[in-house]
């Protein structure tokens, strides 16, 4: 739901701007109907921080899982951009966080090809199955700001990770008010 107030609304006795439609009735009422002001009343914009991440390991290349994951990542990025949710970060999970699009950059659909070209699903390391996702989660938690914004991290993967190491990190993320969503 919206968290940021930007629009002016209402019929108030004090406010930021005059409602010109109400001024005529104000003068006609002999200056008694004085609810002629607009002010910022209801939230109508979102101010979220969202990380979209794909596992870029060799296991994702089996049965074209990686390319389906890329398709879903771009679909999610387009949808979140149309909803104007706030800041979006797109990253790859290798042996940690491989940032493709930072929070300081804006996602535009024309950059889709550049983003897709950053993932090749050929990363192989002897510790990537055990430590790739935990290292990414630690780095992702550090990327989020300390403000009390809504923080969400979507992780798209094939499910090959050490779940015993990931569980405590999920609890730590929950304590920092970060929602981790794991999509397989």
């Amino acid at each position: 739901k919206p968290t940021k107030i930007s629009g002016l609304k209402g019929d108030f006795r004090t406010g930021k701007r005059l409602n010109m439609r109400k001024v005529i009735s104000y003068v006609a009422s002999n200056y008694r109907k004085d609810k002629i002001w607009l002010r910022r009343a209801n939230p109508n914009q979102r101010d979220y921080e969202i990380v979209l991440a794909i596992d870029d390991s060799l296991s994702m290349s089996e049965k074209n899982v990686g390319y389906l994951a890329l398709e879903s990542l771009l679909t999610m990025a387009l949808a979140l951009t149309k909803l104007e949710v706030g800041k979006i970060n797109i990253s790859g999970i290798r042996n940690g966080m491989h940032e493709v699009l930072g929070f300081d950059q804006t996602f535009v659909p024309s950059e889709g090809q550049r983003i897709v070209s950053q993932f090749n699903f050929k990363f192989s390391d002897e510790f990537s199955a055990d430590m790739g996702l935990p290292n990414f989660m630690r780095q992702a938690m550090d990327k989020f700001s300390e403000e009390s914004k809504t923080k969400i991290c979507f992780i798209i993967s094939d499910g090959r990770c050490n779940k015993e190491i990931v569980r405590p990190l999920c609890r730590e993320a929950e304590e920092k008010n970060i929602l981790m969503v794991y999509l397989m």
Side-chain angles (χ1 to χ4, degrees), residues 18-26:
L18 281 172
N19 185 350
M20 293 309 290
R21 292 182 180 161
K22 299 285 183 171
V23 171
I24 296 170
S25 64
Y26 172 61

Side-chain angles (χ1 to χ4, degrees), residues 5-54:
I5 299 172
S6 70
L8 296 167
K9 287 187 177 180
D11 300 321
F12 298 99
R13 290 180 189 230
T14 61
K16 186 161 177 91
R17 285 195 207 134
L18 281 172
N19 185 350
M20 293 309 290
R21 292 182 180 161
K22 299 285 183 171
V23 171
I24 296 170
S25 64
Y26 172 61
V27 173
S29 71
N30 205 13
Y31 306 102
R32 282 178 285 150
K33 294 182 180 177
D34 59 350
K35 293 185 177 182
I36 58 172
W37 293 93
L38 298 172
R39 72 167 84 142
R40 299 189 193 285
N42 296 329
N44 64 348
Q45 285 186 340
R46 293 160 183 84
D47 193 18
Y48 299 165
E49 285 184 340
I50 298 176
V51 173
L52 300 174
I54 290 186

Side-chain angles (χ1 to χ4, degrees), residues 13-183:
R13 290 180 189 230
T14 61
K16 186 161 177 91
R17 285 195 207 134
L18 281 172
N19 185 350
M20 293 309 290
R21 292 182 180 161
K22 299 285 183 171
V23 171
I24 296 170
S25 64
Y26 172 61
V27 173
S29 71
N30 205 13
Y31 306 102
R32 282 178 285 150
K33 294 182 180 177
D34 59 350
K35 293 185 177 182
I36 58 172
W37 293 93
L38 298 172
R39 72 167 84 142
R40 299 189 193 285
N42 296 329
N44 64 348
Q45 285 186 340
R46 293 160 183 84
D47 193 18
Y48 299 165
E49 285 184 340
I50 298 176
V51 173
L52 300 174
I54 290 186
D55 184 1
D56 197 19
S57 65
L58 187 63
S59 64
M60 289 287 285
S61 65
E62 297 172 4
K63 298 181 184 176
N64 288 334
V65 173
Y67 299 105
L68 292 172
L70 276 174
E71 195 174 305
S72 63
L73 173 106
L74 288 176
T75 303
M76 288 174 64
L78 283 169
L80 292 170
T81 303
K82 284 187 180 181
L83 286 173
E84 297 176 357
V85 295
K87 298 178 181 176
I88 298 175
N89 177 312
I90 298 177
S91 299
I93 302 171
R94 292 185 179 163
N95 204 358
M97 185 177 214
H98 169 68
E99 195 169 2
V100 177
L101 185 80
F103 280 129
D104 56 340
Q105 301 167 317
T106 55
F107 175 78
V108 280
S110 61
E111 285 192 26
Q113 184 64 35
R114 183 189 68 80
I115 291 169
V116 167
S117 68
Q118 298 290 317
F119 298 97
N120 56 14
F121 305 108
K122 293 181 181 173
F123 180 77
S124 180
D125 188 349
E126 96 182 68
F127 299 113
S128 68
D130 286 336
M131 296 307 295
L133 184 61
N135 289 341
F136 166 80
M137 290 175 74
R138 281 189 196 94
Q139 291 171 355
M141 284 188 268
D142 292 339
K143 280 283 182 191
F144 288 111
S145 67
E146 296 295 321
E147 298 174 26
S148 62
K149 296 179 180 179
T150 302
K151 299 171 252 189
I152 305 170
C153 181
F154 290 99
I155 301 170
I156 303 171
S157 178
D158 58 356
R160 294 182 186 177
C161 65
N162 190 338
K163 290 155 185 77
E164 298 302 318
I165 299 174
V166 171
R167 280 190 189 105
L169 290 169
C170 288
R171 285 188 213 102
E172 183 182 336
E174 187 178 349
E175 290 170 5
K176 292 182 177 182
N177 293 324
I178 300 171
L179 176 64
M180 293 282 183
V181 181
Y182 194 79
L183 305 170

